[in-house]
Amino acid sequence: MIKKLRIKFIFISLASVATVFLLIMSVIFAINYKNVVERADMLLDVLSSNMGDFPVQDKAHKRRPGFTPETPYETRFFWVKLDDDGNVTDTNTKSIKALDEDEIEKYAKDAYKESDKGFINSYRYQKSETDGEILVVFVDCTRDLQMFKDFVVTGIFVCVLGLFLVFWAVFFLSKLALSPVERAMERQKRFITDASHELKTPLTVIDASIEVIEMENGGSKWTENAKEQVVRLRDLCEHLVELSRFDEKGLSQFAWFDMSELTESLALWFETPIQAQNRQLVLNIEKGIKLNGDKKAVTRLIDQLMDNAVKYSEGDGDITVSLTKSGSKVVLEVSNPSSVPEGEHDEFFERFWRRDESRSDRGSYGIGLSAVSMIAEEHHGRVSAVSDGKTVKIKIVL
């Protein structure tokens, strides 16, 4: 139990840190990319408003953020003029050497078909109309985009390294953080085990005393009631010890066995008490379903589900047991008539949970279904309980 809790603690811690890293780096990446685009658009605005060239002297342009006297000499750009049909009428490539005339013409025609502003490869372009022609200005953003990509790679590497360091920090500190929980659980298990053993001695004495009383004075309803309560308390002690041992050791004896045969044989054990309630046992069990698990624990699981269905059946209706295969999973469903309110009822699987009206007359301790849930979890499965207002269906996926 502590091992699983520690794994969950580490997983949740890493997931939280990873989420924070993802959000922070996403914002930083978005801001950096936005700055690259805004700088390119600022250059394109200057070039487009000056017929595809930088002005010689313009104080307004000098006041633009990021625009310095060196900017015209640092910027690689070219422009192309197109007519209304998309044919190239003029070009200016004096500030670009990486493209030849054919490539420049292709870039211009591609931009003619696209929106007024955007990227073609690593070139940012902007279209504007001038003198009845379309002026398309391109700015080379290769260096800025490469710096952005390098920054992204570095950021991802730093995040991964950070997660690795956080993992080891949480791995070592989790044991210290969970030590109070571990001590509390150890004390709880020790108390349950000790209390169960201590109760067995007085129960044995009480049981023997009742037998002596019956031998001397004969049996009565009072002695019968006392014997029934002794049996109930002894069963409760055994259940508590079993749960305590299960919490500590879990399951280990996994092997392949015939789940179909086991389910059918166990369900048929309950056919007599079901018929005594004027109900029928309906079996929908696929043949030949195999399960890799702890057969003893799965036997307890099925037995508890059947006992729960018989014990808590109300009104008219039959008890149905279904076993099917869904992909690689085995699906076991047990349903019984009940007046439980409509909806999902995960509380059924909480330890010591019972409906108020069933506390005193059905011999329930609220332990059985919690054991079912624990067995399912040990088999990497899941449990659910759903009611439609007339029938309760408990579903186990293993």
Side-chain angles (χ1 to χ4, degrees), residues 1-6 173-190 247-248:
M1 182 65 72
I2 289 295
K3 183 179 179 181
K4 290 183 178 179
L5 187 61
R6 189 180 180 190
L173 294 177
S174 60
K175 187 174 181 62
L176 179 64
L178 295 177
S179 57
V181 179
E182 185 175 8
R183 288 195 296 269
M185 293 185 68
E186 287 296 331
R187 287 195 294 266
Q188 182 187 49
K189 288 188 288 186
R190 192 181 308 115
D247 280 337
E248 183 176 358

Side-chain angles (χ1 to χ4, degrees), residues 3 73 117 144 160 208 220 227 236 261 263 270 282 368 375 389:
K3 183 179 179 181
Y73 304 98
K117 186 180 293 185
D144 291 341
V160 172
S220 67
K227 289 170 69 175
L236 175 58
E261 181 180 326
T263 304
F270 291 86
V282 180
I375 293 170

Side-chain angles (χ1 to χ4, degrees), residues 286-300:
E286 291 184 11
K287 299 295 184 182
I289 295 179
K290 305 290 184 179
L291 178 68
N292 183 27
D294 188 317
K295 186 174 182 179
K296 183 178 179 181
V298 175
T299 299
R300 167 71 190 279

Side-chain angles (χ1 to χ4, degrees), residues 189 192-193 239-249:
K189 288 188 288 186
I192 292 174
T193 303
H239 285 315
L240 289 173
V241 172
E242 182 181 0
L243 279 179
S244 179
R245 290 174 179 171
F246 186 85
D247 280 337
E248 183 176 358
K249 298 180 180 179

Side-chain angles (χ1 to χ4, degrees), residues 3-70:
K3 183 179 179 181
K4 290 183 178 179
L5 187 61
R6 189 180 180 190
I7 292 173
K8 288 182 179 179
F9 180 80
I10 294 173
F11 175 78
I12 292 173
S13 300
L14 285 179
S16 301
V17 174
T19 301
V20 172
F21 278 0
L22 178 64
L23 291 175
I24 292 175
M25 296 310 295
S26 296
V27 172
I28 293 175
F29 293 158
I31 291 174
N32 274 267
Y33 184 78
K34 180 172 177 288
N35 290 337
V36 170
V37 173
E38 286 183 346
R39 182 177 185 280
D41 287 345
M42 180 269 292
L43 295 173
L44 289 171
D45 288 340
V46 173
L47 291 169
S48 296
S49 61
N50 289 276
M51 300 300 295
D53 205 350
F54 286 105
V56 177
Q57 291 181 343
D58 192 327
K59 294 182 180 180
H61 291 156
K62 290 182 181 180
R63 288 197 298 269
R64 289 176 179 265
F67 194 94
T68 69
E70 299 297 328

Side-chain angles (χ1 to χ4, degrees), residues 61-331:
H61 291 156
K62 290 182 181 180
R63 288 197 298 269
R64 289 176 179 265
F67 194 94
T68 69
E70 299 297 328
T71 299
Y73 304 98
E74 298 173 346
T75 305
R76 314 310 299 167
F77 69 95
F78 65 93
W79 56 258
V80 180
K81 288 184 179 180
L82 305 169
D83 59 23
D84 292 337
D85 296 325
N87 298 314
V88 176
T89 60
D90 193 10
T91 61
N92 184 333
T93 60
K94 63 181 181 180
S95 297
I96 193 78
K97 297 296 182 181
L99 302 176
D100 57 30
E101 291 293 335
D102 293 336
E103 290 175 317
I104 288 174
E105 184 174 343
K106 182 178 182 303
Y107 273 52
K109 290 183 176 180
D110 289 341
Y112 176 79
K113 301 175 184 177
E114 301 294 335
S115 58
D116 291 340
K117 186 180 293 185
F119 273 104
I120 296 180
N121 293 335
S122 58
Y123 291 89
R124 182 77 172 173
Y125 72 88
Q126 179 173 301
K127 294 190 294 185
S128 60
E129 291 190 11
T130 176
D131 298 330
E133 292 183 311
I134 299 174
L135 175 66
V136 185
V137 182
F138 292 84
V139 171
D140 185 4
C141 299
T142 302
R143 184 176 60 180
D144 291 341
L145 290 176
Q146 186 60 48
M147 291 177 61
F148 171 73
K149 291 177 182 178
D150 293 341
F151 178 75
V152 170
V153 172
T154 303
I156 293 174
F157 174 78
V158 170
C159 288
V160 172
L161 179 62
L163 284 176
F164 180 76
L165 296 176
V166 169
F167 168 77
W168 284 109
V170 174
F171 179 80
F172 288 111
L173 294 177
S174 60
K175 187 174 181 62
L176 179 64
L178 295 177
S179 57
V181 179
E182 185 175 8
R183 288 195 296 269
M185 293 185 68
E186 287 296 331
R187 287 195 294 266
Q188 182 187 49
K189 288 188 288 186
R190 192 181 308 115
F191 170 76
I192 292 174
T193 303
D194 293 346
S196 299
H197 285 300
E198 290 296 328
L199 284 172
K200 286 183 179 179
T201 300
L203 287 174
T204 302
V205 173
I206 293 171
D207 193 28
S209 300
I210 293 173
E211 290 183 0
V212 172
I213 292 173
E214 287 183 333
M215 290 173 60
E216 293 181 352
N217 302 314
S220 67
K221 66 178 182 178
W222 310 112
T223 57
E224 289 298 324
N225 288 339
K227 289 170 69 175
E228 289 179 2
Q229 296 307 313
V230 168
V231 172
R232 287 192 62 194
L233 285 173
R234 187 174 285 123
D235 289 343
L236 175 58
C237 291
E238 292 177 356
H239 285 315
L240 289 173
V241 172
E242 182 181 0
L243 279 179
S244 179
R245 290 174 179 171
F246 186 85
D247 280 337
E248 183 176 358
K249 298 180 180 179
L251 303 179
S252 58
Q253 299 178 352
F254 275 57
W256 288 98
F257 62 90
D258 194 321
M259 182 67 172
S260 300
E261 181 180 326
L262 179 65
T263 304
E264 184 174 359
S265 61
L266 292 176
L268 290 175
W269 288 358
F270 291 86
E271 190 169 23
T272 299
I274 290 173
Q275 291 177 348
Q277 295 180 348
N278 295 320
R279 308 181 196 279
Q280 296 296 321
L281 174 63
V282 180
L283 300 179
N284 298 317
I285 299 175
E286 291 184 11
K287 299 295 184 182
I289 295 179
K290 305 290 184 179
L291 178 68
N292 183 27
D294 188 317
K295 186 174 182 179
K296 183 178 179 181
V298 175
T299 299
R300 167 71 190 279
L301 180 147
I302 299 171
D303 181 77
Q304 185 58 55
L305 289 178
M306 293 301 303
D307 180 71
N308 186 80
V310 173
K311 187 180 295 182
Y312 294 103
S313 290
E314 302 171 335
D316 298 328
D318 298 327
I319 293 177
T320 303
V321 180
S322 172
L323 183 70
T324 58
K325 196 77 181 289
S326 177
S328 61
K329 296 292 185 179
V330 175
V331 181

